[in-house]
Amino acid sequence: MSNIHAYATTAANAALAPFEITRREPGSHDVQIEILYCGVCHSDIHQARNEWGNSIYPMVPGHEIVGRVTAVGDHVKKFKVGDMAGVGCLIDSCRTCPQCAAGDEQFCENGSTGTYNGIDKNGEITYGGYSKQIVVDENFTLLIPANLDIKAVAPLLCAGITTYSPLRRWKVGPGQKVAIVGLGGLGHMAVKLAAAFGAEVTVLSTSDNKEVDAKRLGAHHFVNSRNAEKMKSLAGHFDFILNTVSAKNDYNALLGLLHTNGSMVLVGAPAEPSQISGFSLIMGRRSIAGSLIGGLAETQEMLDFCGKHNITSDVEMISIDKINEAYERILNADVKYRFVIDMASL
Ligand code: NAP
Ligand code: ZN
Ligand code: ZN
């Protein structure tokens, strides 16, 4: 066991503060990683504040982890000491159920283990990336493309895979009109990826000051979703909508923007439920669906795609002592477009 510096919260209404945790010594299939960078996901805030009602304290958030391998177990094949490695939202699953066998470890029928706010097989609370070091089974550890800036790779481990997976599953590509709702951490990755897949991309945002950035990131159009006239002119316009909004929003209004047979996929996970009128779906045979991160193989596929196409996140670096301020800025939709903690500051 080693003692590791971390930042934790101890209650839904407490600020994050310095905290000590212990990590196991690497077992034969484990990789020990010195964490260099960790992205800050809106899910960290939902969980730190128990907005989803499933929080376990003390909580060390962080599931967009990139670092350097400092030790490996005897059976580890993928990594050697000195390599860069990534860890996303999952650190374990049963590995044998039909979901795990199909590469959907996030839907493991026996319960996958979250990188933090989870219970490990040994019965202990899992602690995430707002810490100096983590020990993870190599099967839940990702290879990082050598050509990418690793600070800007960290957000791919959640924001990247969460947007890549539904864009791939719904076969977004050339000839399709796609809307990305909300230009935050997930939204800006969705814009980059949907544009790389060849779709015509529109950002629907509540922040007029993000228009120039939206176009720089690859969007072809930008519409303020609070402009009723403009929204009306988009009725029936889109083949696919990816909704990344973190707070309660009007699903019926967005479904009305879909063309016949169009789909809206929710990745944003607001705590409060929204009502959906049956007519929003019946008219135009529209669908609404949801998507949760992605499995390990698909996460590696996404990282390799990003390496090939030179895609990373637009990041604002912070030191760990600025984490509570960063949370407030995220809640004010004031992040361009992902905060990443430089763990040297811990
Ligand atoms: P984020 O950086 O805070 O981005 C969310 C964006 O939504 C904001 O920047 C803002 O964009 C827009 N927004 C915020 N409040 C709004 C409101 N009241 N009405 C309309 N638009 C609003 O958050 P994130 O890290 O991208 O995460 C987004 C959501 O996805 C969170 O709920 C998170 O928990 C969830 N999530 C889900 C998964 C999954 O597997 N499904 C994975 C990761 C995260 P504009 O300024 O452009 O309007
Ligand atoms: Zn996340
Ligand atoms: Zn399983």
Side-chain angles (χ1 to χ4, degrees), residues 41-43 46 52 158 162 182-186 205-207 210 244-247 267-269 291-293 330 333 335 338:
C41 179
H42 204 120
S43 301
H46 289 309
W52 294 337
C158 175
T162 301
L183 196 64
L186 266 57
S205 168
T206 60
S207 308
K210 295 181 183 173
T244 78
V245 176
S246 50
V267 285
S291 189
L292 176 70
I293 50 174
I330 291 171
V335 48
R338 198 54 139 190

Side-chain angles (χ1 to χ4, degrees), residues 29-309:
H29 295 278
D30 284 337
V31 180
Q32 183 189 59
I33 301 164
E34 177 198 0
I35 301 176
L36 299 176
Y37 301 106
C38 184
V40 181
C41 179
H42 204 120
S43 301
D44 298 350
I45 306 177
H46 289 309
Q47 292 176 91
R49 299 186 178 182
N50 197 20
E51 290 170 2
W52 294 337
N54 66 345
S55 296
I56 309 166
Y57 300 100
M59 184 190 298
V60 176
H63 57 208
E64 294 184 335
I65 298 167
V66 169
R68 186 183 293 110
V69 174
T70 45
V72 295
D74 346 321
H75 287 95
V76 170
K77 293 198 179 70
K78 255 175 24 182
F79 296 92
K80 58 179 187 329
V81 169
D83 286 350
M84 289 298 161
V87 180
C89 302
L90 301 176
I91 53 151
D92 209 350
S93 71
C94 85
R95 309 175 198 201
T96 53
C97 76
Q99 305 303 330
C100 286
D104 279 331
E105 293 90 350
Q106 72 275 33
F107 303 127
C108 174
E109 288 171 13
N110 298 303
S112 53
T113 309
T115 301
Y116 69 87
N117 196 30
I119 301 292
D120 215 339
K121 279 184 180 142
N122 61 9
E124 288 176 6
I125 299 175
T126 58
Y127 293 126
Y130 298 3
S131 60
K132 283 294 235 189
Q133 189 238 72
I134 192 165
V135 178
V136 182
D137 187 299
E138 71 165 332
N139 291 305
F140 287 76
T141 308
L142 286 309
L143 298 162
I144 306 296
N147 59 313
L148 299 178
D149 173 6
I150 60 161
K151 305 191 275 301
V153 165
L156 302 181
L157 277 308
C158 175
I161 184 58
T162 301
T163 51
Y164 180 93
S165 184
L167 291 170
R168 280 304 202 210
R169 177 159 291 269
W170 273 266
K171 299 188 166 53
V172 164
Q176 290 185 2
K177 293 190 169 74
V178 169
I180 307 299
V181 192
L183 196 64
L186 266 57
H188 95 291
M189 287 313 308
V191 169
K192 291 187 187 206
L193 292 167
F197 297 157
E200 182 179 325
V201 180
T202 300
V203 167
L204 302 178
S205 168
T206 60
S207 308
D208 272 328
N209 63 2
K210 295 181 183 173
E211 178 165 2
V212 173
D213 285 340
K215 300 212 169 131
R216 177 179 53 76
L217 295 166
H220 305 90
H221 315 281
F222 178 94
V223 171
N224 186 323
S225 53
R226 290 192 172 135
N227 183 329
E229 277 301 296
K230 287 232 171 101
M231 289 292 273
K232 212 169 147 195
S233 73
L234 291 175
H237 185 77
F238 297 107
D239 301 293
F240 182 82
I241 297 175
L242 190 64
N243 187 332
T244 78
V245 176
S246 50
K248 188 176 178 182
N249 63 104
D250 186 347
Y251 295 162
N252 296 301
L254 292 167
L255 288 166
L257 308 186
L258 286 172
H259 194 60
T260 310
N261 296 323
S263 302
M264 174 162 79
V265 174
L266 309 176
V267 285
E272 248 190 292
S274 290
Q275 283 207 325
I276 299 170
S277 160
F279 286 99
S280 302
L281 303 171
I282 291 167
M283 305 310 288
R285 207 195 286 131
R286 296 163 174 138
S287 306
I288 186 164
S291 189
L292 176 70
I293 50 174
L296 272 295
E298 193 177 34
T299 304
Q300 190 64 60
E301 177 191 307
M302 175 277 307
L303 286 166
D304 296 345
F305 178 89
C306 288
K308 194 163 166 209
H309 296 268

